[in-house]
């Protein structure tokens, strides 16, 4: 038996939900393992990551390499129309976003929607292949035949025969996990039309 927390796939789903060509994002909400790895991957790719709070900035900076940390920006302005958010994003914080902002959750629980002039993606999840039977969504905020990335990761782990645990600070190769998921017929749920 292997312990699989599914963080790698959750990170991959969020990263692949961000519209292509995005040069900066706002990161907010409760920081988690998934949030740290999203910030790290984005900063390594040259995407500016703006934090909502100074304490988030300080926590993230300690976990990033020196090169990646150059793309981490403390909260100065919130002009980005792509926000990567956790479940504790407040209404007041959402109101700082410009009209038309895309909110992409990174946590298993969706933030409470406070804006009608913005777009809210589902939590990290994928559409399951048609050949999988007797599987429905496990979360009541997801559509039928859609499962959270955390649950799919366990299935994927077994399908691929991976023999490692994914827990604690451990995370798999995000691109490898994403490719394996697509190869097994899982489809992206949250895809921006500009991606």
């Amino acid at each position: 038996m292997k312990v699989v927390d599914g963080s790698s796939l959750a990170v991959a789903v969020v990263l692949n939900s961000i519209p292509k060509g995005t040069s900066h994002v706002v990161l907010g909400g409760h920081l988690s393992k998934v949030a740290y790895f999203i910030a790290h991957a984005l900063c390594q790719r040259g995407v500016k990551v703006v934090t909502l709070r100074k304490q988030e900035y300080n926590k993230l900076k300690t976990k990033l390499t020196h090169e990646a940390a150059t793309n981490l920006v403390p909260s100065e302005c919130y002009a980005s129309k792509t926000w990567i958010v956790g479940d504790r994003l407040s209404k007041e914080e959402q109101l700082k976003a410009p009209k038309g902002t895309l909110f992409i959750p990174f946590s298993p629980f969706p933030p409470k929607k406070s804006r009608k002039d913005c777009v809210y993606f589902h939590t990290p999840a994928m559409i399951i292949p048609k050949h999988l039977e007797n599987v429905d969504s496990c979360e009541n905020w997801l559509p039928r035949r859609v499962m959270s990335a955390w649950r799919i990761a366990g299935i994927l782990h077994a399908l691929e025969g991976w023999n490692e645990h994914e827990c604690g600070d451990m995370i798999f190769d995000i691109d490898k996990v994403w490719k394996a998921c697509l190869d097994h017929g899982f489809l992206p749920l949250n895809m921006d039309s500009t991606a």
Side-chain angles (χ1 to χ4, degrees), residues 111-129:
K112 186 172 181 184
K113 296 177 183 179
S114 298
R115 302 276 302 267
K116 292 186 182 201
D117 60 349
C118 294
V119 176
Y120 290 82
F121 273 2
H122 287 284
T123 57
M126 297 185 83
I127 302 166
I128 60 173

Side-chain angles (χ1 to χ4, degrees), residues 47-112:
V47 176
K48 299 286 184 201
V49 176
V50 178
T51 59
L52 287 175
R53 297 179 205 98
K54 184 71 172 172
Q55 67 193 50
E56 291 170 349
Y57 171 81
N58 292 332
K59 284 181 183 178
L60 284 168
K61 191 162 184 166
T62 63
K63 300 233 181 203
L64 299 176
T65 63
H66 179 68
E67 297 83 30
T70 60
N71 287 313
L72 187 64
V73 182
S75 53
E76 295 168 358
C77 71
Y78 310 107
S80 175
K81 286 196 163 192
T82 303
W83 284 41
I84 312 299
V85 298
D87 56 330
R88 295 186 194 157
L89 186 71
S90 71
K91 179 179 182 177
E92 293 75 28
E93 289 169 326
Q94 290 181 48
L95 293 174
K96 293 178 182 180
K99 181 180 179 180
T101 293
L102 171 61
F103 289 102
I104 304 172
F106 62 74
S107 75
F109 305 103
K112 186 172 181 184

Side-chain angles (χ1 to χ4, degrees), residues 6-195:
S7 296
S8 303
L9 184 56
V11 170
V13 168
V14 171
L15 292 175
N16 284 285
S17 298
I18 297 171
K20 295 209 184 306
T22 299
S23 61
H24 57 284
V25 301
V26 173
L27 180 71
H30 175 71
L31 294 181
S32 64
K33 173 182 175 179
V34 171
Y36 287 117
F37 280 101
I38 290 168
H40 188 261
L42 289 171
C43 286
Q44 280 187 318
R45 295 176 183 184
V47 176
K48 299 286 184 201
V49 176
V50 178
T51 59
L52 287 175
R53 297 179 205 98
K54 184 71 172 172
Q55 67 193 50
E56 291 170 349
Y57 171 81
N58 292 332
K59 284 181 183 178
L60 284 168
K61 191 162 184 166
T62 63
K63 300 233 181 203
L64 299 176
T65 63
H66 179 68
E67 297 83 30
T70 60
N71 287 313
L72 187 64
V73 182
S75 53
E76 295 168 358
C77 71
Y78 310 107
S80 175
K81 286 196 163 192
T82 303
W83 284 41
I84 312 299
V85 298
D87 56 330
R88 295 186 194 157
L89 186 71
S90 71
K91 179 179 182 177
E92 293 75 28
E93 289 169 326
Q94 290 181 48
L95 293 174
K96 293 178 182 180
K99 181 180 179 180
T101 293
L102 171 61
F103 289 102
I104 304 172
F106 62 74
S107 75
F109 305 103
K112 186 172 181 184
K113 296 177 183 179
S114 298
R115 302 276 302 267
K116 292 186 182 201
D117 60 349
C118 294
V119 176
Y120 290 82
F121 273 2
H122 287 284
T123 57
M126 297 185 83
I127 302 166
I128 60 173
K130 290 186 179 185
H131 65 270
L132 285 179
E133 296 180 8
N134 299 320
V135 180
D136 292 309
S137 69
C138 299
E139 290 83 12
N140 63 0
W141 52 84
L142 293 174
R144 292 185 61 73
R145 301 216 37 95
V146 172
M147 289 180 73
S148 74
W150 293 272
R151 296 185 192 282
I152 291 172
I155 296 169
L156 185 64
H157 201 83
L159 289 171
E160 287 291 312
W162 291 329
N163 200 23
E164 300 105 346
H165 294 289
E166 180 190 32
C167 56
D169 290 336
M170 170 65 175
I171 193 161
F172 295 137
D173 179 320
I174 296 164
D175 294 327
K176 178 181 174 183
V177 170
W178 181 251
K179 182 182 180 320
C181 212
L182 295 178
D183 289 348
H184 284 287
F186 292 92
L187 299 173
L189 175 64
N190 293 328
M191 295 300 283
D192 186 65
S193 60
T194 60

